[in-house]
Amino acid sequence: MKRRTAIGVLGGTAAGQLLTPSGTFAELLEWGERVRASATPLDAAGPGPATAPTLTPARARVMEALADVIIPETDTPGASQAGITEFVAALVDGWLDDEDRDRFLAGLDTVDPTARERFGADFAECAAEQKAQIVGDLDAEVVGLRAAPETTSFEHFFHDVKRFTLTAYFTSEVGLDALGYRTTFRTFEGCAPLTPAEAGR
């Protein structure tokens, strides 16, 4: 499944609360599992020289901090609690075209320098309101690209940051629980009452 096809279906399918996924959302969940299954464990030791991950620790830190601004922890878990960086690492190492990957990584590399110039600290170390300002500016740039007929928002790395965050979150167990989906039964629960989400409340 191509990147834009796989990730693009999220917006139209993640709004409702269902007991079991169907249609394109089921396909998205399956794709999300395939991405996660393709991730190389950080402590894996295979024969020959190790391949350095393209989502370096510094980039992963930026990605996680951006994702936590997009989906912060509230009464439900935040983005970082859904394994966002592991999912994105699998994407950039095995699923993105070279051009898409290089643009995305180059964009991530601009975030810390911007934060240091504006606030004197790396993005992950900035105060919440400072992070929100930077993310708001990035989002405004994406909106501006959508309004310009000669460009597309796909050309901005933050467009991918948002899509990767939403896709990773809402295909994770944490995100599905937050939506009220119940896709698997971890244990047998005879005559268990429905949750408010399952009861349609």
Side-chain angles (χ1 to χ4, degrees), residues 145-165:
L145 285 175
R146 291 195 190 115
E150 70 279 4
T151 60
T152 170
S153 60
F154 281 118
E155 296 176 11
H156 199 293
F157 88 99
F158 191 66
H159 174 86
D160 285 336
V161 168
K162 292 199 297 183
R163 288 195 165 198
F164 294 169
T165 297

Side-chain angles (χ1 to χ4, degrees), residues 53-123:
T54 51
L55 195 72
T56 61
R59 288 167 173 165
R61 194 163 176 252
V62 169
M63 180 65 216
E64 183 171 286
L66 288 169
D68 271 336
V69 175
I70 295 168
I71 305 179
E73 181 178 4
T74 54
D75 56 335
T76 57
S80 61
Q81 295 167 271
I84 296 296
T85 53
E86 292 84 357
F87 186 90
V88 173
L91 278 180
V92 298
D93 282 336
W95 291 81
L96 299 187
D97 295 338
D98 290 348
E99 180 181 353
D100 292 335
R101 181 194 65 234
D102 292 347
R103 183 185 63 248
F104 174 68
L105 295 176
L108 284 184
D109 288 343
T110 68
V111 177
D112 275 344
T114 297
R116 287 194 294 268
E117 180 179 351
R118 291 180 61 178
F119 302 117
D122 286 344
F123 181 75

Side-chain angles (χ1 to χ4, degrees), residues 1 3 31 34-36 38-39 90-97:
M1 188 179 291
R3 178 179 70 94
W31 178 78
R34 287 165 53 203
V35 172
R36 289 180 176 85
S38 72
L91 278 180
V92 298
D93 282 336
W95 291 81
L96 299 187
D97 295 338

